[in-house]
Amino acid sequence: DGELHCRATLRYYDACRCVCVSQVILFIVAISLHGIDNPKNNWMIGPNSSTLIRMGAKNPYMMRYKAHIERFFSPIFLHSGIIHILVNLTIQLRMGLYLERRWGSIKFTCTYVGSGMVGIMMGCVLQPGTISVAASACVMGLIGAYLAQLTITWHKFDPFQLKVALFQCIFVLVVTTLEGTLMRHSLSKHPHSLTHSLVASLVAATGIGPNFIDWSGHMGGAVAGVGFGYFLFGKEYALRKHIIVRRVLPVVWLIVSS
């Protein structure tokens, strides 16, 4: 019985563990090709843009004019540097394993990959001139789906559990969003924005440069995650008295996001 329980438990962790291992392997390969670039060019302490392009990073020009359709998928396994991969692996191993056990491997994988691909497409539309990776967009998708699930199943949590879950989601969203917004080359496009002015001040004070992470990819991943969350978990968890949450919110969300 103990062995069967162990196997039943491990099967929930297969997808998340495989993703983490593959991301670590690809990051080691990227570093081994040309080493670590100057922090002024990549403050995440990682490879240069040429290496990331060679590894399959998001490159809108190649995707549009050279039919590199694999770049709609490959960036979700790439990280721009040591800081980036440490943050993402910590979140994935902390929350990803829990969510996969809660949702199952199939729903977890669909949410993770689907959110990442939507983030990539959003990045191509809103930031067509940038080279970037998309692992954080997948993480944002997981958090978005979890937030959607919390809005449906809040009545099943005691107040303390609900507060802890919300705090974890908000903390992860803040950390991953900061990764994507601290980009020197994106600030010049919105010079009069208050948010970008504050970020520009931080960039000037610290001397950091680009990090090959798109804020638009994060936004796209989060939006897609919320959509996946309502789609996958709405019918399964919502009570009959919460029909507004179950039926109306997904439609409103699709209209707003479109």
Side-chain angles (χ1 to χ4, degrees), residues 158-168:
D158 62 60
F160 178 76
Q161 287 180 324
L162 187 61
K163 290 179 181 178
V164 171
L166 289 175
F167 173 79
Q168 289 178 332

Side-chain angles (χ1 to χ4, degrees), residues 91-199:
I91 297 172
Q92 288 174 183
L93 293 175
R94 174 62 183 87
M95 296 196 67
L97 294 178
Y98 165 76
L99 293 177
E100 186 175 0
R101 182 178 63 181
R102 184 182 179 94
W103 299 345
S105 295
I106 295 178
K107 291 180 180 179
F108 174 87
T109 304
C110 290
T111 303
Y112 189 90
V113 175
S115 299
M117 295 182 71
V118 172
I120 294 170
M121 289 185 282
M122 184 77 76
C124 290
V125 174
L126 298 181
Q127 292 179 279
T130 62
I131 307 299
S132 64
V133 296
S136 294
C138 303
V139 175
M140 295 288 280
L142 293 179
I143 302 305
Y146 189 35
L147 283 173
Q149 188 182 34
L150 288 177
T151 64
I152 296 171
T153 62
W154 60 268
H155 54 277
K156 296 184 178 182
F157 289 84
D158 62 60
F160 178 76
Q161 287 180 324
L162 187 61
K163 290 179 181 178
V164 171
L166 289 175
F167 173 79
Q168 289 178 332
C169 291
I170 293 173
F171 177 78
V172 172
L173 288 174
V174 170
V175 171
T176 51
T177 300
L178 285 176
E179 286 181 335
T181 54
L182 294 176
M183 300 178 66
R184 185 190 300 272
H185 56 269
S186 68
L187 298 176
S188 59
K189 297 181 180 180
H190 305 276
H192 303 296
S193 169
L194 176 60
T195 301
H196 282 267
S197 297
L198 294 175
V199 175

Side-chain angles (χ1 to χ4, degrees), residues 57-120:
K58 186 208 81 177
N59 187 325
Y61 176 82
M62 291 184 175
M63 296 162 72
R64 180 175 181 179
Y65 296 106
K66 297 186 178 181
H68 286 197
I69 58 175
E70 74 279 359
R71 296 182 187 272
F72 285 103
F73 177 77
S74 58
I76 68 178
F77 294 100
L78 299 177
H79 290 85
S80 62
I82 296 175
I83 299 175
H84 189 204
I85 194 170
L86 287 178
V87 171
N88 277 7
L89 288 182
T90 300
I91 297 172
Q92 288 174 183
L93 293 175
R94 174 62 183 87
M95 296 196 67
L97 294 178
Y98 165 76
L99 293 177
E100 186 175 0
R101 182 178 63 181
R102 184 182 179 94
W103 299 345
S105 295
I106 295 178
K107 291 180 180 179
F108 174 87
T109 304
C110 290
T111 303
Y112 189 90
V113 175
S115 299
M117 295 182 71
V118 172
I120 294 170

